[in-house]
Amino acid sequence: MAKETNQPAPQAGFQALISHCKEYGYIFQSSEIYDGLQAVYDYGQYGAQLKKNIRDYWWKSMTQLHDNIVGIDAAIFMHPTTWKASGHVDNFSDPMIDNKDSNKRYRVDHLIEAHAETLQEPAAGTLIAEMEALIARDDYAGLKNLIDSNNIKCAVSGTCNWTDVRQFNLMFSTEFGAVATEGEEDNKVYLRPETAQGIFVNFLNVQKTGRMKIPFGIAQTGKAFRNEIVARQFIFRMREFEQMEMQFFVRPGTQMEWYRYWKEQRRAWHESLGVPAEKLRFHDHVKLAHYADAALDIEFEFPFGWKELEGIHSRTDFDLKNHQEYSKKKMQYFDNDLNEEDKPYGNYIPYVVETSVGLDRLVLTILSLAYAEEKWNREDGSEDSRVVLRIPPRIAPLKLAVLPLTKKDGLPEIADALIKECKGDFHCFYEEKDSIGKRYRRMDAIGTPFCVTIDHQTKEDNTVTIRYRDTMVQERIPMADVRRLINEKIG
Ligand code: ATP
């Protein structure tokens, strides 16, 4: 069977993917019955399982396969001083500008970048370079001038009637306790904008109770919240999202070695999950965040272009040092393993290399790689087609569909027995409605890698037909082999 994968133009394909995610129970707009909430999404029955499978794969490779990394689960709410010490209250902001006629707010870099896209080279490149230089110097008046002198207009009002450029803090805040007094800052708490700080404030708890020796890591997965000004591109940029972070605590002076180590490790991890090497690249940061002495992004080629999937940051001792200063609690580590001559320096605040990946961006990575519209000619020359999610079997939400050919003659009972045998090991699905062909197509669209059909021959010789999603090949195998075979394929 000659099968031809028909990948539509990237943007068109992206819209088709978004519709597919909704139609097949992967991702829904949050509060959809109330017309949704911007840049917030809910995961449906298959999306939630896919996300969990990716999270579990990350957690296992970090904590179970490394004997010097342990996992924690810190709270979303943290003492407000945490965010003073981390620099987020003062620095976690983006420059933004409002159009006075439409009242629409823009992130300055997005506004200028969108204008640059309408220009020819070299004008476009020059504009971006000027913008980057101004952002690096925090020169807001310069950015305003750049917008004015290029006559950049608001897409809604069509005017150039702009406010000054201001900083907009991305943290969400709320009040703690029952009484909220106006103007009272004391009970203000933030929804964490990153999970990392939960690790830093627990550094000594974990190091002491786990008797951890440097170098060691603490891993965590969990929700983070950012009031993104322009949230777009589906689950790529959301206001509520999930991070998987690991802080690796090292001896001062060795951080570059570990930075290079984690850079390669993390890239290899993405490849092990099925992301092709040519769809990944490194992007070194020019403007470093307030806490970093080196930083890079692992970028993936999303349907809308190369964008950050994961960040690798050498955070120095910035966070622990500041928590020591603000909390007045020692954050030092006593290093017993140093050479005799280095012993006098054995008491230090560790340096940190961080790996930080967005779980939702990983889900989008996997789905955009998996989605394919295929067409081919049947043997009689007629055309056939399908939409398939080629999700790697190891992380696919459903592993096996068991399909009795008919609803009678004892076939459903045999299917039931097979599901009972397998469901302790992996997710199974039962379906008896519609023709087998239609049922296969539905399973292709959900991304189920294996279908097993129970027919009348099964009653005679205990064999079944197994059908593979990716090749559509079917073969007859003993029913007694199904469970072992699938366990091997997803192992
Ligand atoms: P960006 O430049 O895209 O805004 P960032 O550099 O602010 O991202 P980090 O602070 O390094 O991101 O966060 C680590 C990871 O968290 C990112 O690599 C990304 O995968 C994820 N992430 C950050 N912001 C969002 C968001 N708004 N929605 C979904 N994932 C996010």
Side-chain angles (χ1 to χ4, degrees):
M1 181 171 2
K3 196 148 35 72
E4 161 203 330
T5 299
N6 172 25
Q7 288 288 11
Q11 278 298 343
F14 188 45
Q15 284 313 316
L17 173 65
I18 295 172
S19 310
H20 190 87
C21 285
K22 182 178 172 198
E23 194 179 337
Y24 287 94
Y26 272 86
I27 298 161
F28 309 122
Q29 175 83 56
S30 156
S31 329
E32 197 190 348
I33 58 166
Y34 295 105
D35 296 332
L37 186 62
Q38 216 203 357
V40 186
Y41 288 91
D42 296 339
Y43 286 83
Q45 62 278 26
Y46 300 124
Q49 188 63 45
L50 171 64
K51 190 173 164 192
K52 181 178 184 308
N53 293 349
I54 298 174
R55 188 194 297 114
D56 288 350
Y57 183 65
W58 182 89
W59 184 261
K60 183 175 175 185
S61 65
M62 281 294 176
T63 65
Q64 191 175 328
L65 300 180
H66 285 97
D67 42 21
N68 57 348
I69 301 180
V70 290
I72 66 164
D73 183 12
I76 287 172
F77 287 129
M78 301 186 67
H79 192 284
T81 310
T82 308
W83 305 109
K84 268 290 211 198
S86 68
H88 283 81
V89 171
D90 296 324
N91 292 316
F92 195 57
S93 48
D94 281 331
M96 54 109 187
I97 193 164
D98 292 354
N99 182 274
K100 290 185 199 161
D101 298 320
S102 65
N103 289 326
K104 196 165 158 46
R105 177 164 295 170
Y106 294 86
R107 237 173 86 169
V108 167
D109 54 338
H110 289 166
L111 181 69
I112 298 175
E113 275 164 14
H115 181 72
E117 278 169 23
T118 67
L119 303 177
Q120 305 282 342
E121 289 301 344
T126 312
L127 179 61
I128 296 291
E130 280 180 64
M131 175 191 82
E132 283 178 349
L134 292 165
I135 289 179
R137 292 202 302 273
D138 290 331
D139 183 347
Y140 301 133
L143 284 166
K144 173 81 193 305
N145 276 338
L146 193 67
I147 291 170
D148 288 340
S149 61
N150 280 275
N151 235 345
I152 300 180
K153 296 191 174 70
C154 166
V156 178
S157 66
T159 70
C160 302
N161 193 8
W162 298 108
T163 62
D164 285 340
V165 173
R166 280 166 295 162
Q167 284 290 63
F168 178 78
N169 195 294
L170 300 184
M171 281 197 293
F172 283 102
S173 64
T174 184
E175 283 112 35
F176 236 39
V179 198
T181 323
E182 206 159 317
E184 179 67 78
E185 287 283 304
D186 283 359
N187 42 13
K188 182 168 175 179
V189 289
Y190 297 99
L191 297 184
R192 66 181 178 199
E194 61 173 27
T195 58
Q197 297 304 324
I199 292 179
F200 289 124
V201 301
N202 279 297
F203 161 70
L204 276 188
N205 283 338
V206 174
Q207 190 274 318
K208 294 221 156 88
T209 57
R211 310 200 316 158
M212 306 301 291
K213 274 180 175 288
I214 274 188
F216 73 91
I218 305 179
Q220 168 167 232
T221 73
K223 286 281 174 100
F225 303 82
R226 295 182 187 179
N227 198 1
E228 302 279 3
I229 302 168
V230 185
R232 50 183 183 182
Q233 286 152 340
F234 196 34
I235 57 169
F236 177 81
R237 189 177 300 286
M238 297 196 288
R239 297 204 163 98
E240 172 178 345
F241 57 99
E242 193 164 337
Q243 289 184 316
M244 306 196 288
E245 297 198 298
M246 194 277 298
Q247 324 306 127
F248 201 69
F249 299 91
V250 305
R251 277 183 195 153
T254 63
Q255 69 270 24
M256 279 306 144
E257 220 173 281
W258 287 110
Y259 176 71
R260 284 190 291 273
Y261 172 83
W262 282 109
K263 169 180 166 180
E264 295 307 331
Q265 280 281 313
R266 293 303 303 151
R267 188 184 171 126
W269 183 87
H270 290 287
E271 288 177 31
S272 78
L273 195 61
V275 184
E278 67 275 13
K279 290 261 182 188
L280 292 167
R281 73 178 188 196
F282 294 124
H283 169 80
D284 290 313
H285 285 203
V286 185
K287 187 191 179 198
L288 292 174
H290 57 277
Y291 49 74
D293 70 354
L296 63 88
D297 299 335
I298 299 178
E299 292 186 339
F300 171 72
E301 193 178 13
F302 286 97
F304 39 84
W306 287 95
K307 299 272 177 205
E308 171 175 349
L309 172 60
E310 169 152 10
I312 313 286
H313 309 127
S314 172
R315 287 179 83 127
T316 67
D317 57 356
F318 176 88
D319 300 88
L320 288 180
K321 205 166 73 190
N322 280 337
H323 286 307
Q324 172 167 296
E325 192 185 317
Y326 278 79
S327 69
K328 311 272 181 285
K329 306 272 165 27
K330 282 251 176 291
M331 290 288 164
Q332 270 162 339
Y333 172 81
F334 183 66
D335 197 333
N336 260 326
D337 301 328
L338 286 174
N339 302 328
E340 252 342 286
E341 64 269 26
D342 292 330
K343 282 263 156 73
Y345 314 106
N347 225 347
Y348 55 78
I349 296 180
Y351 270 45
V352 171
V353 173
E354 156 184 273
T355 72
S356 173
V357 62
L359 178 51
D360 311 272
R361 286 190 189 177
L362 261 173
V363 170
L364 185 56
T365 298
I366 295 299
L367 287 174
S368 59
L369 286 169
Y371 182 84
E373 294 172 8
E374 296 178 347
K375 269 196 206 121
W376 66 93
N377 289 327
R378 294 195 196 93
E379 261 147 37
D380 66 5
S382 61
E383 208 175 66
D384 206 349
S385 68
R386 67 169 181 168
V387 173
V388 57
L389 288 182
R390 296 167 170 275
I391 301 173
R394 177 196 284 160
I395 51 171
L398 295 175
K399 312 296 189 202
L400 170 68
V402 183
L403 316 170
L405 190 64
T406 64
K407 286 187 217 170
K408 46 187 200 307
D409 304 334
L411 302 186
E413 287 75 9
I414 300 176
D416 263 356
L418 179 60
I419 288 184
K420 277 209 182 78
E421 184 197 334
C422 293
K423 72 179 180 188
D425 289 10
F426 45 80
H427 275 265
C428 303
F429 184 81
Y430 174 86
E431 187 158 55
E432 56 180 27
K433 229 177 134 236
D434 292 329
S435 71
I436 284 290
K438 273 199 181 145
R439 284 184 261 170
Y440 283 159
R441 286 293 179 277
R442 263 202 300 274
M443 287 300 116
D444 287 344
I446 291 167
T448 311
F450 311 102
C451 290
V452 158
T453 302
I454 312 285
D455 58 18
H456 293 93
Q457 198 185 323
T458 312
K459 282 169 68 176
E460 284 159 29
D461 62 7
N462 283 319
T463 63
V464 294
T465 302
I466 186 162
R467 186 251 191 197
Y468 300 96
R469 176 198 67 197
D470 293 347
T471 55
M472 300 204 276
V473 164
Q474 304 184 15
E475 57 182 355
R476 201 88 205 170
I477 60 165
M479 190 159 70
D481 290 352
V482 170
R483 178 179 173 195
R484 181 187 47 78
L485 186 121
I486 294 180
N487 270 322
E488 273 168 24
K489 303 249 181 214
I490 63 178

